[in-house]
Amino acid sequence: MSEEKLSRRELLRGAATIAGAAVVAKVASAQLPAAPAVPAAPVVPLDASLVQGAPTSALSERSPFVTEARTGTGVVTGASFSPIQDFSGSIFPTDLHFERHHNGVAQIDPAKYTLLVQNTHGAKSVVLTLDDIRRFPSVSRAHFLECAGNGRSCYRAPKREMTAQVIDGMLGSAEWTGVPVRALFAELDIHVAPNAHWVLAEGGDASKLSRSIPLEKMLDDALLVYAQNGEPLRPPAGFPVRLLVPGWEGNANIKWLRRLKVIAEPNMSKDETSKYTDPLPNDTARQFSFELDVKSIITRPSFPMVAVRGWQQIEGIAWTGRGKVAQVHVSTDGGRSWTMAELQEPIQSKAITRFRLMWNWDGRATTLMSRAVDETGAMQPTLSEFRAARGPGTDYHFNHIRSWSVESSGSVFYAVPA
């Protein structure tokens, strides 16, 4: 650097140049997508048997080598998808359970929580606290929970690079603990008028989401749930209390439940008129199509996994809102022939059932498919059958057969229909 002194004007001019360059760089960087963060490689000892291990902690953490996560974060109105291709068994980890919100996650103080139960017009209402609800006899049951729009992406805009998570990740499975609604109504001496056939369920979130549920279903197997997988519900799942109507579309399972009202007819609220009504090809529409159809998907191998020559296991999950999965058939030749897969016991009603089949791959390109059959005899339709029945504009209950293309290299892609 020259020892010659700089004038004040030169200093200012130089500062302006540097500042201008910084602004240009900032604007240019703002126009470019941020580079994805590269996680640092986990640091572990070469031989764990020679090093003292970590102490106990208040909460356990996954291994740093396990990086499975939901996709779709920071969403206030929308969904995040479960990484179903990474799961084992039939119960999903609580913190990886899919989410669907209409106006963010409500935060509710359990000490101030109340549930208003209203009988038909003119009858006495009852207000329950969380402690009141916990005093009723409870049950624990395993059930799946699925968004009505699950599978929309692979029907509307299929792509080869779709993962099982993107295709069917708006799906969850858990052991739920709570109070049967029928027991609650019986203990509260809720007298249902002869003309009362529905129950309005209202949530306590900012969207005040509400749905009308047939009284028959509420008195059958509906639950007021306060625990999931052995712990209190987490806020995204509806803490402190949610409604669970097993086998029915996710939107009917109202979270942050604050009111149940016995009514004569459907309330026709915004959430059951502007949404969750399905247009059909014959200029009619399906409304209150609560029950979820029989469905399955192969999760291994799936994109972006790689198949290997020789023996390997095909596995996946199946479910139905009509009861139990009875059979799952797997095709390794694009649907020309089908083989019965093994179902993991116990097979429970309106719950996830895992299926498996050993496959000896010869290295030739092929297509893998699965189709489930439930105890009512209903079977997953082909894509063409589904499209003919529902039409291109359908928006819910996508249960057509999913297919995976296996290339001779072993690369697996979602089989986009021609």
Side-chain angles (χ1 to χ4, degrees):
M1 180 180 291
S2 172
E3 296 180 357
E4 185 177 356
K5 292 184 178 179
L6 297 175
S7 68
R8 182 174 182 273
R9 179 175 297 176
E10 289 173 325
L11 285 170
L12 291 174
R13 184 166 58 245
T17 301
I18 294 171
V23 170
V24 171
K26 184 176 181 180
V27 171
S29 65
Q31 294 173 344
L32 297 173
V38 179
V43 178
V44 296
L46 293 177
D47 187 346
S49 68
L50 301 177
V51 181
Q52 178 177 299
T56 59
S57 58
L59 298 173
S60 63
E61 297 181 354
R62 290 185 177 87
S63 163
F65 295 93
V66 177
T67 58
E68 58 197 44
R70 290 183 298 216
T71 184
T73 58
V75 177
V76 173
T77 300
S80 61
F81 295 64
S82 295
I84 58 175
Q85 70 278 354
D86 297 322
F87 296 156
S88 302
S90 57
I91 297 296
F92 295 179
T94 303
D95 59 351
L96 293 175
H97 199 281
F98 91 99
E99 298 179 23
R100 171 67 170 101
H101 306 304
H102 292 257
N103 202 350
V105 177
Q107 297 292 336
I108 297 174
D109 182 347
K112 298 178 181 178
Y113 169 79
T114 58
L115 171 65
L116 174 63
V117 182
Q118 296 176 297
N119 208 333
T120 48
H121 182 71
K124 182 181 178 181
S125 299
V126 179
V127 177
L128 301 173
T129 66
L130 179 59
D131 285 341
D132 292 333
I133 294 172
R134 293 291 300 260
R135 291 191 183 99
F136 287 91
S138 65
V139 297
S140 295
R141 300 188 201 137
H143 290 300
F144 75 86
L145 188 62
E146 182 183 22
C147 178
N150 201 27
R152 183 183 291 122
S153 60
C154 72
Y155 185 72
R156 294 282 185 83
K159 297 179 178 61
R160 276 166 45 89
E161 295 78 14
M162 283 182 164
T163 63
Q165 180 173 16
V166 171
I167 295 168
D168 276 322
M170 287 195 288
L171 174 71
S173 174
E175 181 189 72
W176 309 94
T177 300
V179 178
V181 172
R182 65 172 176 269
L184 181 82
F185 278 21
E187 290 295 327
L188 295 180
D189 198 24
I190 299 293
H191 296 288
V192 179
N195 66 336
H197 303 290
W198 295 77
V199 176
L200 174 66
E202 181 182 73
D205 62 323
S207 73
K208 296 180 176 62
L209 188 144
S210 64
R211 289 297 304 267
S212 302
I213 311 295
L215 179 63
E216 181 180 10
K217 175 67 172 179
M218 295 291 278
L219 298 180
D220 178 21
D221 59 359
L223 297 175
L224 297 185
V225 167
Y226 49 76
Q228 176 182 355
N229 292 340
E231 65 174 359
L233 289 172
R234 298 189 180 190
F239 178 83
V241 175
R242 73 174 300 156
L243 177 66
L244 187 76
V245 281
W248 284 21
E249 59 187 18
N251 181 259
N253 297 260
I254 301 296
K255 295 182 287 188
W256 311 291
L257 186 68
R258 73 173 186 177
R259 181 163 68 123
L260 291 175
K261 183 179 181 180
V262 181
I263 53 179
E265 299 175 345
N267 192 59
M268 304 305 285
S269 61
K270 64 179 176 62
D271 301 297
E272 55 197 16
T273 52
S274 64
K275 305 181 185 71
Y276 305 102
T277 297
D278 215 6
L280 297 177
N282 59 358
D283 295 326
T284 63
R286 297 199 314 161
Q287 190 174 22
F288 301 115
S289 54
F290 297 110
E291 197 171 59
L292 289 163
D293 302 304
V294 63
K295 196 169 177 180
S296 71
I297 183 172
I298 292 171
T299 55
R300 181 174 294 273
S302 61
F303 177 80
M305 300 174 192
V306 177
V308 295
R309 293 186 181 219
W311 286 103
Q312 60 205 282
Q313 181 173 256
I314 296 173
E315 68 174 290
I317 51 177
W319 62 100
T320 175
R322 296 187 179 93
K324 294 181 179 180
V325 172
Q327 299 175 355
V328 177
H329 310 143
V330 173
S331 175
T332 60
D333 56 12
R336 290 189 295 275
S337 64
W338 297 87
T339 302
M340 194 90 71
E342 178 186 358
L343 303 184
Q344 176 67 54
E345 298 284 353
I347 301 171
Q348 302 182 80
S349 181
K350 302 167 188 175
I352 292 291
T353 298
R354 185 161 291 274
F355 64 87
R356 300 180 176 91
L357 178 72
M358 293 304 297
W359 174 43
N360 188 10
W361 184 43
D362 59 11
R364 290 182 292 180
T366 190
T367 300
L368 304 179
M369 309 167 72
S370 69
R371 67 183 185 194
V373 182
D374 68 25
E375 62 183 348
T376 71
M379 178 187 291
Q380 272 185 275
T382 64
L383 177 60
S384 58
E385 290 170 339
F386 180 87
R387 186 180 286 124
R390 300 284 182 83
T394 191
D395 211 29
Y396 303 104
H397 297 215
F398 301 93
N399 76 316
H400 57 84
I401 292 173
R402 277 73 163 124
S403 305
W404 299 101
S405 294
V406 182
E407 299 185 343
S408 57
S409 64
S411 297
V412 181
F413 296 93
Y414 183 65
V416 177

